[in-house]
């Protein structure tokens, strides 16, 4: 690992935190596979190179900050109006951001093996916390890239559907990140 012992931070100014959805169902060709970006978040990383098990990761995301970056597929291109409608649905029908303001991840174990990291921890969405495993790689330029796949219903999230269920989002969504960690 190219990091020295210490505390590091990251956020949208030097990193990307993305959620990627896929469409399914009979009407799937109408919808879009989405890349959604968290625009307000912070990650705090504590590195202990002598004993990586003492390292930790904490990420706090403002749930209402999820913005549609791109949409691929579909019969027609994604418009600004489509983006606004999707963001509204995320806030009001999916994540209920009026009640649940944050999405958090707190590590419980960090395993370092060469350039690879395995970070076990608890992901909390809508006040439901469940364990996940994040896989990542570390590069010499202090960048860390990785992700995890989650199943929405495990957190009580009903995958979005439209057209009487003919178009739906797949239950599994991918979370990806590419971050430069900087000392505070």
């Amino acid at each position: 690992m190219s990091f020295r012992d210490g505390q590091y931070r990251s956020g949208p100014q030097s990193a990307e935190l993305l959620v990627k959805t896929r469409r399914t169902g009979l009407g799937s060709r109408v919808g879009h596979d989405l890349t959604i970006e968290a625009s307000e978040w912070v990650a705090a990383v504590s590195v202990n190179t002598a004993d990586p098990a003492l390292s930790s990761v904490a990420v706090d995301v403002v749930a209402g900050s999820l913005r549609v970056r791109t949409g691929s597929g579909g019969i027609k291109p994604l418009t600004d109006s489509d983006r606004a409608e999707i963001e509204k649905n995320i806030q009001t029908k999916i994540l209920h951001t009026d009640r649940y303001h944050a999405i958090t991840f707190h590590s419980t174990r960090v395993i370092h093996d060469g350039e690879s990291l395995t970070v076990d921890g608890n992901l909390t969405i809508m006040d439901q916390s469940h364990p996940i495993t994040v896989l990542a790689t570390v590069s010499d330029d202090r960048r860390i890239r990785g992700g995890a796949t989650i199943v929405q219903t495990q957190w009580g999230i009903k995958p979005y559907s439209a057209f009487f269920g003919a178009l739906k989002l797949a239950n599994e969504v991918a979370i990806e990140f590419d971050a430069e960690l900087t000392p505070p």
Side-chain angles (χ1 to χ4, degrees):
M1 183 185 302
S2 61
F3 297 106
R4 293 187 179 125
D5 287 354
Q7 307 298 314
Y8 296 86
R9 297 187 76 72
S10 192
Q13 67 283 359
S14 63
E16 293 180 325
L17 179 57
L18 306 174
V19 177
K20 295 189 174 186
T21 68
R22 292 178 300 106
R23 59 209 148 110
T24 187
L26 294 173
S28 63
R29 56 174 251 223
V30 175
H32 299 89
D33 294 330
L34 300 174
T35 299
I36 299 166
E37 181 174 24
S39 61
E40 294 179 49
W41 61 278
V42 64
V45 178
S46 177
V47 176
N48 185 319
T49 56
D51 187 357
L54 296 176
S55 297
S56 65
V57 178
V59 180
D60 295 301
V61 178
V62 175
S65 76
L66 299 178
R67 302 290 176 256
V68 176
R69 180 192 272 184
T70 62
S72 62
I75 293 176
K76 64 179 187 73
L78 197 62
T79 66
D80 288 343
S81 176
D82 294 334
R83 281 183 176 82
E85 183 66 22
I86 292 166
E87 290 168 8
K88 179 182 170 191
N89 285 333
I90 291 169
Q91 292 174 8
T92 61
K93 295 180 180 178
I94 298 170
L95 294 179
H96 308 284
T97 59
D98 60 328
R99 291 190 314 243
Y100 307 105
H101 306 288
I103 299 169
T104 62
F105 173 80
H106 295 277
S107 66
T108 55
R109 181 173 71 158
V110 176
I111 300 169
H112 176 241
D113 182 18
E115 293 180 1
S116 298
L117 289 174
T118 301
V119 182
D120 295 325
N122 293 309
L123 177 65
T124 303
I125 304 172
M126 297 188 335
D127 284 347
Q128 292 194 36
S129 186
H130 297 283
I132 67 167
T133 297
V134 177
L135 302 176
T137 58
V138 179
S139 63
D140 290 334
D141 61 354
R142 287 199 332 238
R143 291 203 77 78
I144 184 166
R145 295 172 179 90
T149 299
I150 67 164
V151 177
Q152 297 180 77
T153 53
Q154 190 175 6
W155 280 267
I157 298 169
K158 181 180 177 190
Y160 181 78
S161 67
F163 305 115
F164 305 103
L167 169 65
K168 344 179 223 193
L169 287 185
N171 197 13
E172 288 188 346
V173 297
I175 301 169
E176 298 177 1
F177 60 89
D178 180 350
E180 178 183 354
L181 298 181
T182 56

